[in-house]
Amino acid sequence: MAVHKAYFLHTNPRSWVRASLPKCCATAHETLQQMPDEQLQGLAWQQRDERLQAAVTACQERRWRETTGVDVADSYFTLVIPVYNEEQSLPSFFSTLMLADIPSSVHATIIFITNACHDSSNSLIDAFLARQGDVKEEMLRGDFLDSHINPYVKTVKLGNLTFMHVDTSTPGKGHALRTGNCIARSCGHTIAMCIDANDYIEPDAVRLLFHSAHRTFRRRPEHSDVVIFSGTGCGERRASSMKKIMDSVEVRKRHLIEDRSGYILGCLMAWNTEWLDSIGGPLGIALEDYALGVLARIYGYRIGVVEEARIWSYDANAFTDLLETRTRYVRGMLQVLYSLQYTAGAVKIVQRDSFYMRNWRERLRHLFRRSRQDILSFPRYLVTFLVWEYAIRRGRRDFWRDPENPTWKKIASTR
C-alpha cells in the first residue's frame, strides 16, 4: 500500500519480524534505487514525498504484475477482516496490513466487520480509517441474512482501495464472512479473502493468495474446481516455564494427526464468492473455516493451499490453553456434523481428517498403529492421546450445553 506512518508493531511475533523484515528492506531498496539523490536535491519536502509516493506505487505495481500475471487495473477482490474484541492486537494489525505489498491502484474493498464487540475495537477501527483520508458514512445496500447489521457504514478511499467498517451485534465469524461475501458480490468480485485481526500476514501474502485465486476461480465454478485456498500458518510460542515441554509435546508428526490437507486455515484464506453464495454462505458455527472445506468436498469441489502465503500467530504455551484449544476443535467438529445433520458424507470426511472424531476403539487402534511406526516416541504419543481423550470429553460437554454457539472463549497465551 502507499507510504504511511508507522504506528505499532509491538505484538507481532519475533519470527514474523525475522521473516518479513528482509522483504520490507528489499522493497525499500528497490524504491530508493528509482530515486537517486541528485533527483531529490533542491526539492521541497512535499515534493520529495510526492516523488517517494510515486516511486513506491510504481514498484508495487511492477511486483504485482510479475507475481500475479494480472495488471493492477484488472485486479479486483474483497478482503474481509472479522473483528471480535481485538483491541490488544489491532494497533499492530493495522501496521502489518499497511505493510502488505498491495498497490493503491488495485481495485480492492477491505472490510472490517466488528461482530458483538464490547471493547474499544470499534473506535480503534474508526480512528484507523480517519488516518487514511476523508471518512464518509454511507447506507449499506444488499440482501443480508443478518438483521442486526448497522445499516450505516463508514468508508474511506485510498486510491482505488476502499476501506469499510461494518458493525453488527450478531456474534460469530461465520456470520461476518457471510456478510463480507454479500458485499463482495455486490462489488462484482469473484475473489474474496479473509485475515483474522489477531494474526499477522507477511508482506507478500495477499499478492500470492490473489495469484492462485485469480488463475483458478471461475464466475461459474464447475465440478472438481478449487473453490477455497488456504495460506500457510506459522506459529511462535511465547517464553514460559512450560515452553520446552510444550514444544516437545507439539513436535510435528507427534500430535497423531497424519494429514491436515482437509483443514482450512481460516485466518488466511481465499474463496470463490459465487460458490459460497450457491451453498447459502458459511455455517454460523465456531469452526466455520473447516466446515467450508467439508462442504466443498461433499459437493465435489476441491480445496488448495498456497504454501508461500504465510501468516503468523502465537501458539498455546500452557497446558490449560492447549487443552482449551483441543476442546475447541472437538466442539467445532461436533457442530459441523450437527449442522450437516450427520450425513454419511460429512461423517466420513470428518472421521478421515480427525482421528479423535472416531469411536474409542478406532482411536486406540490409531494410537497403536502410529506407535509401531516409531516405538521410541510411544510415551509422547500416549501423552498426546490422553490429552485428546480429555479434550473429547470436555468438547462433548461444551457442545451439548450450547450446540449452536458460534464463538470461542479467547485463549490468553495466543493473544
Side-chain angles (χ1 to χ4, degrees):
M1 298 184 187
V3 178
H4 62 96
K5 296 179 182 178
Y7 302 115
F8 301 97
L9 288 172
H10 67 273
T11 60
N12 294 53
R14 292 182 180 179
S15 298
W16 175 89
V17 176
R18 286 192 289 269
S20 299
L21 187 58
K23 298 178 181 180
C24 293
C25 289
T27 299
H29 179 70
E30 179 184 358
T31 301
L32 292 175
Q33 281 187 320
Q34 307 299 318
M35 302 176 61
D37 290 343
E38 54 270 19
Q39 291 186 10
L40 300 178
Q41 291 177 359
L43 294 179
W45 283 108
Q46 183 176 353
Q47 292 177 308
R48 293 188 182 192
D49 183 65
E50 291 172 354
R51 290 281 186 93
L52 177 62
Q53 293 278 5
V56 168
T57 300
C59 291
Q60 286 184 324
E61 290 176 346
R62 183 187 59 76
R63 284 191 298 274
W64 185 272
R65 286 192 296 268
E66 289 179 352
T67 300
T68 66
V70 185
D71 192 82
V72 291
D74 300 318
S75 299
Y76 295 83
F77 67 91
T78 294
L79 178 60
V80 183
I81 305 168
V83 180
Y84 175 62
N85 293 339
E86 298 295 353
E87 63 181 2
Q88 180 179 348
S89 61
L90 274 174
S92 290
F93 177 85
F94 292 145
S95 288
T96 306
L97 177 65
M98 296 303 288
L99 286 172
D101 207 6
I102 307 172
S104 58
S105 46
V106 165
H107 300 274
T109 302
I110 302 172
I111 313 170
F112 292 91
I113 303 181
T114 46
N115 51 95
C117 290
H118 49 77
D119 65 354
S120 62
S121 294
N122 282 284
S123 59
L124 287 170
I125 293 171
D126 290 344
F128 169 75
L129 263 60
R131 290 194 291 265
Q132 310 313 315
D134 296 327
V135 178
K136 296 181 179 180
E137 193 170 87
E138 301 176 355
M139 178 72 77
L140 185 63
R141 290 178 170 82
D143 296 323
F144 300 98
L145 294 178
D146 184 358
S147 60
H148 300 290
I149 293 179
N150 185 336
Y152 295 97
V153 300
K154 295 179 179 179
T155 65
V156 63
K157 295 281 291 186
L158 184 64
N160 289 334
L161 301 177
T162 300
F163 292 89
M164 182 182 298
H165 178 197
V166 179
D167 184 52
T168 177
S169 58
T170 302
K173 180 180 173 181
H175 297 298
L177 294 181
R178 183 184 291 113
T179 297
N181 196 69
C182 290
I183 296 173
R185 294 185 70 247
S186 71
C187 295
H189 297 170
T190 304
I191 300 172
M193 306 182 199
C194 173
I195 304 174
D196 280 0
N198 63 325
D199 295 319
Y200 308 94
I201 55 170
E202 293 187 10
D204 55 357
V206 171
R207 189 173 74 232
L208 293 166
L209 203 56
F210 177 85
H211 167 59
S212 295
H214 186 272
R215 69 178 183 179
T216 305
F217 293 170
R218 289 189 273 194
R219 177 75 59 177
R220 294 184 178 180
E222 298 180 1
H223 184 80
S224 79
D225 277 1
V226 175
V227 291
I228 312 174
F229 278 106
S230 287
T232 299
C234 304
E236 178 176 297
R237 208 181 308 278
R238 287 188 173 97
S240 72
S241 58
M242 301 296 294
K243 183 178 184 300
K244 289 186 178 180
I245 298 176
M246 296 291 295
D247 288 342
S248 177
V249 171
E250 289 285 273
V251 168
R252 198 177 183 91
K253 298 183 181 179
R254 289 179 178 166
H255 50 29
L256 296 177
I257 299 176
E258 297 176 318
D259 182 10
R260 299 189 64 89
S261 61
Y263 286 72
I264 299 295
L265 185 70
C267 60
L268 177 60
M269 63 178 178
W271 66 88
N272 186 315
T273 60
E274 298 303 318
W275 166 77
L276 189 56
D277 181 70
S278 72
I279 63 170
L283 299 176
I285 60 176
L287 207 60
E288 76 295 319
D289 46 5
Y290 176 73
L292 286 176
V294 174
L295 287 168
R297 288 177 285 170
I298 285 177
Y299 290 110
Y301 297 100
R302 294 184 296 131
I303 58 180
V305 178
V306 182
E307 295 184 357
E308 300 84 3
R310 302 198 302 174
I311 188 167
W312 289 84
S313 60
Y314 287 104
D315 293 334
N317 70 350
F319 271 116
T320 53
D321 289 351
L322 174 63
L323 288 171
E324 186 62 36
T325 301
R326 298 280 172 85
T327 300
R328 279 184 174 190
Y329 277 110
V330 175
R331 177 168 74 87
M333 294 290 185
L334 290 170
Q335 283 189 320
V336 171
L337 295 176
Y338 178 79
S339 300
L340 298 178
Q341 301 179 335
Y342 297 92
T343 58
V347 172
K348 182 179 179 181
I349 289 173
V350 169
Q351 291 186 349
R352 182 179 63 214
D353 289 344
S354 307
F355 82 95
Y356 52 87
M357 296 304 295
R358 304 169 193 167
N359 62 48
W360 188 82
R361 288 187 178 182
E362 288 298 320
R363 296 198 300 270
L364 198 60
R365 186 176 291 118
H366 180 77
L367 168 65
F368 288 137
R369 181 172 61 81
R370 290 299 303 274
S371 298
R372 284 197 298 269
Q373 297 172 358
D374 185 6
I375 193 64
L376 295 179
S377 295
F378 176 73
R380 290 189 176 91
Y381 286 144
L382 181 60
V383 169
T384 300
F385 180 81
L386 294 175
V387 170
W388 274 116
E389 288 299 303
Y390 182 67
I392 289 169
R393 281 149 182 78
R394 285 187 57 188
R396 287 173 175 171
R397 178 203 64 192
D398 292 350
F399 168 73
W400 287 114
R401 284 178 176 174
D402 189 356
E404 298 180 355
N405 180 7
T407 62
W408 300 117
K409 175 185 175 183
K410 291 187 180 295
I411 297 176
S413 64
T414 64
R415 312 310 294 173

